Amino acid sequence: MTTPFRFGLVALPYPGADWSGTARQVEELGFDSLLVPDNLHATPAALACASAAGVTERIAVGPYVVATPLRNPGLVAADAAGLHQLSGGRVEFGLGAGRPDAEDEARQLGVEFGTPGERMAHLEATIDAVRVRTPDVHITVAAAGPRMLALGGRLADVVALGASPFATADDLARMADTVRAGAGDRADDVQLNVNLSAVGDEVPPWLAEKMGLTMERLVEARTATYLRGTPDDMAETLVERREPTGISYVCAGANHAQDLAPVVALLRGA
């Protein structure tokens, strides 16, 4: 089954920036979702999402993704339920077992980060708590390793593939196969998502600084997380990649909104 394309933007509200204006622009440009990173030292994702929902009518909002080892499952479920209510049901609530730097945040909060197995168990308990309190909330699970990919396939509505910026189409296809194997009979109901490392001719500054990414390195690696060329070229690339990988939900940083918007116009819902 071919799943229609959806598109999202990932953004943080910065001090002094027009967050309401950003949310409205995301909707006006035709994107399907506005997603907010979970960062201990930034505006809490649930608050930013509630604010964005209040000034928009169509787009989904949600954290991308909550580091569940830092939080009690019941409190996460309460946040999801509140956001579901305030947004009129327009929620994609992202959950994960914690990115690598979340361990430092755990120390700052005075909580145990746990072993990989413990974090996976805590994530599953959090998913259960959210489902029990608000059964129709759409849940995204971010996953990279085989066990997490299989868990996402088994329990999530969307699995965000935590691929390296240098991942090839074959790499993404292997990750997708693991998700589908974990999903079993519900494989057709699980949407696969990828967050692009770059669109057009600019590498996001934070990636360039953190990982030393350049356009030349991305092109040389033949990465499948980078889109370049005209809007028609980019649309054709996404369509070609959808068949072997099953990826139909494409996200990018908000700095790529204008570059990706023409592609959204060509492919959204197709």
Side-chain angles (χ1 to χ4, degrees):
M1 183 180 73
T2 301
T3 305
F5 280 108
R6 298 176 65 238
F7 293 88
L9 287 179
V10 183
L12 270 173
Y14 291 101
D18 181 8
W19 179 243
S20 294
T22 295
R24 293 190 189 97
Q25 183 186 45
V26 170
E27 185 163 78
E28 290 166 1
L29 289 174
F31 287 88
D32 297 283
S33 61
L34 173 60
L35 307 172
V36 181
D38 178 34
N39 188 313
L40 182 64
H41 303 292
T43 301
L47 294 181
C49 290
S51 174
V55 297
T56 57
E57 299 178 355
R58 177 186 56 80
I59 56 171
V61 296
Y64 192 80
V65 299
V66 171
T68 58
L70 308 184
R71 294 170 174 84
N72 175 278
L75 293 178
V76 176
D79 280 348
L83 187 55
H84 185 266
Q85 176 185 354
L86 293 173
S87 68
R90 294 182 286 128
V91 178
E92 293 179 9
F93 209 84
L95 300 169
R99 61 191 184 280
D101 57 350
E103 185 169 9
D104 182 58
E105 294 183 349
R107 282 194 292 268
Q108 294 176 51
L109 293 171
V111 300
E112 291 292 331
F113 192 58
T115 66
E118 290 169 339
R119 296 199 303 274
M120 284 185 62
H122 191 78
L123 169 61
E124 188 162 351
T126 303
I127 293 171
D128 289 344
V130 172
R131 295 283 195 208
V132 167
R133 180 151 181 175
T134 316
D136 52 348
V137 165
H138 282 239
I139 291 178
T140 296
V141 166
R147 292 175 62 198
M148 277 293 296
L149 290 165
L151 182 149
R154 182 163 53 88
L155 298 176
D157 301 293
V158 176
V159 177
L161 304 181
S164 158
F166 300 109
T168 65
D170 287 343
D171 294 330
L172 294 180
R174 282 191 288 270
M175 296 175 80
D177 286 344
T178 304
V179 172
R180 285 189 284 265
D185 292 342
R186 61 186 298 271
D188 287 343
D189 298 325
V190 180
Q191 190 165 39
L192 296 174
N193 164 266
V194 70
N195 191 23
L196 299 172
S197 55
V199 180
D201 299 320
E202 179 186 355
V203 172
W206 72 272
L207 274 177
E209 179 180 349
K210 186 173 182 178
M211 301 187 66
L213 286 189
T214 64
M215 285 296 144
E216 291 76 13
R217 290 186 67 194
L218 291 174
V219 172
E220 183 180 354
R222 301 178 66 83
T223 175
T225 68
Y226 167 37
L227 284 182
R228 62 190 303 219
T230 68
D232 285 335
D233 293 335
M234 296 183 196
E236 183 178 355
T237 296
L238 290 177
V239 170
E240 289 175 350
R241 289 177 185 161
R242 178 169 59 177
E243 182 174 351
T245 65
I247 294 170
S248 59
Y249 187 6
V250 181
C251 291
N255 57 307
H256 290 309
Q258 297 298 334
D259 293 319
L260 195 56
V263 184
V264 174
L266 290 169
L267 289 183
R268 180 170 169 257

